[in-house]
Amino acid sequence: MATFDTITIKKPDDWHVHLRDGAMLSATAPLTARQFARAIIMPNLADPVTTAAAGADYRSRVIAAAGDVGEGAGFTPLMTCYLTDNTDVADLRQGFTDGVFTAAKLYPAGATTNSDHGVTDIGNITAVLDAMQDMGMPLLVHGEVTDADIDVFDREAVFIDRVLSPMLDRFPALKVVFEHITTSDAAAFVRAGGPRLGATITVHHLMINRTDMFRGGIRPHLYCLPVAKREAHRLALLEAATSGEACFFLGTDSAPHDARDKEAACGCAGVFSAPTALELYTQVFDEQGALDQLQAFASENGPRFYGLAENEATVTLNRVPSDIPTHIDVADGRVIPFMAGEKTAWTLT
Ligand code: DOR
Ligand code: ZN
């Protein structure tokens, strides 16, 4: 157990983030670039990033929006291809070979925000997965079944049995990241899956359970997909993240939506943690007496999985409270961060 008032770690990366496009991108990219050297950028734009050309264009917009920390210097966006039933295998291969795409994202059709163009049946992307396995290109998975008759709290666990496990058997060398895991089932499955299987864990799933979503009334800014589960699952995620095990790494899944789209009769899924994500992860590790494992989770396990070098720069955090903004203005609206108006116990210098 380690306790410090200040901690310096190799600069972390965010292995799963939604930055969006246009005015929203201008607001979000600097927030992520402030804390992370690299980030895996999700491709579920309103017009999804399904081709290498679209990926290269989007990367340019992200770099421009991140500000003066240009690619290679301070912030490097790592782009992902949104898989569809009709993904062009040759284009995907070229995109990976040319370094436009780092990975490809599997959204089961209808699973979440902008997933309507997603994959309707894994059988439709057999050739894509063959090529990815062949190239060593990681597959990033939104791991929830979409069947209307499966309880929303069971969708991740059922996905393991019905989709993920058979897929891993069918493609024994495919590198897979089980994104934003929310259950003890997923943590155990990933642990047992060997070095080709990893998982990202968000800070909000480490901090809230499903009861928190209803504390004193319904709290739309805590609603995301996969939805937070019961407390026993949160505790299993805490154990996994702070264990130092190589298969678990940092991915915020920060997913901004205009407040009007969340505070609505049918609100959008997504927790916007980007403004203070690293401070909050540090707080969580501190509360667990596990600050000595923060660097592995935030800065080492991800690059090792992706076969990339660790960052050479470092970041320092102090045990000094900092304010979490009440909102971020975007165009004619606003986005409400995770724990808006509260404090985090740590400050990134
Ligand atoms: O809560 C979520 N929001 N989960 C996702 O998988 C997508 C994301 C978004 O893009 O808003
Ligand atoms: Zn996501």
Side-chain angles (χ1 to χ4, degrees):
M1 165 140 161
T3 51
F4 317 98
D5 286 330
T6 180
I7 179 172
T8 298
I9 58 171
K10 288 174 210 160
K11 195 160 186 190
D13 306 299
D14 184 348
W15 297 100
H16 183 131
V17 68
H18 302 263
L19 299 180
R20 316 297 191 203
D21 214 344
M24 188 71 91
L25 174 61
S26 302
T28 57
L31 297 172
T32 293
R34 178 181 80 90
Q35 302 163 76
F36 300 104
R38 296 169 288 201
I40 286 274
I41 312 298
M42 285 296 128
N44 62 330
L45 304 181
D47 187 10
V49 178
T50 57
T51 65
D57 284 352
Y58 185 35
R59 179 168 64 182
S60 303
R61 300 199 295 282
V62 172
I63 290 169
D68 53 10
V69 281
E71 190 185 8
F75 178 67
T76 304
L78 304 174
M79 310 311 290
T80 58
C81 179
Y82 181 117
L83 298 180
T84 72
D85 286 343
N86 304 307
T87 295
D88 180 339
V89 181
D91 183 73
L92 184 74
R93 266 190 185 279
Q94 196 65 50
F96 183 68
T97 310
D98 291 347
V100 173
F101 288 135
T102 298
K105 178 72 189 268
L106 168 62
Y107 287 106
T112 187
T113 305
N114 294 337
S115 64
D116 294 351
H117 304 279
V119 174
T120 58
D121 187 317
I122 291 287
N124 295 335
I125 57 167
T126 302
V128 168
L129 298 182
D130 267 330
M132 291 177 66
Q133 174 171 257
D134 178 50
M135 295 187 288
M137 181 181 195
L139 177 72
L140 316 184
V141 177
H142 182 108
E144 289 192 288
V145 294
T146 55
D147 315 53
D149 61 324
I150 304 292
D151 190 285
V152 70
F153 294 100
D154 296 335
R155 287 182 182 180
E156 182 175 284
V158 172
F159 182 87
I160 296 172
D161 291 339
R162 289 197 188 165
V163 184
L164 186 55
S165 186
M167 186 178 78
L168 294 172
D169 288 344
R170 167 76 179 74
F171 300 94
L174 182 65
K175 285 170 81 169
V176 174
V177 183
F178 197 166
E179 298 288 344
H180 41 53
I181 59 169
T182 60
T183 57
S184 57
D185 314 60
F189 185 79
V190 170
R191 258 192 196 108
R196 57 81 165 246
L197 181 62
T200 51
I201 304 180
T202 76
V203 75
H204 50 281
H205 288 119
L206 293 174
M207 295 186 79
I208 61 162
N209 62 32
R210 66 188 196 179
T211 298
D212 292 315
M213 260 189 319
F214 305 102
R215 213 171 280 289
I218 192 157
R219 295 182 176 267
H221 299 291
L222 300 184
Y223 169 61
C224 65
L225 288 171
V227 70
K229 307 298 192 295
R230 59 171 70 241
E231 178 66 358
H233 293 292
R234 186 184 75 89
L235 295 176
L237 299 177
L238 270 177
E239 210 275 318
T242 60
S243 68
E245 289 165 276
C247 53
F248 300 116
F249 36 92
L250 187 159
T252 62
D253 196 20
S254 175
H257 292 273
D258 187 287
R260 290 164 293 196
D261 294 331
K262 289 193 62 74
E263 300 164 6
C266 185
C268 292
V271 169
F272 177 51
S273 60
T276 55
L278 187 57
E279 282 99 336
L280 288 170
Y281 276 113
T282 305
Q283 176 180 324
V284 166
F285 275 64
D286 187 19
E287 286 163 0
Q288 296 302 300
L291 281 177
D292 53 353
Q293 299 296 347
L294 182 63
Q295 177 167 277
F297 178 75
S299 317
E300 294 173 352
N301 297 344
R304 188 178 311 125
F305 181 88
Y306 277 87
L308 299 171
E310 291 169 6
N311 298 309
E312 291 187 359
T314 59
V315 294
T316 297
L317 295 110
N318 295 318
R319 194 199 303 279
V320 172
S322 53
D323 293 324
I324 301 174
T326 55
H327 64 276
I328 307 276
D329 289 313
V330 178
D332 66 339
R334 48 173 47 184
V335 188
I336 311 296
F338 180 51
M339 293 176 54
E342 298 183 47
K343 284 188 189 301
T344 151
W346 288 78
T347 300
L348 174 64
T349 59

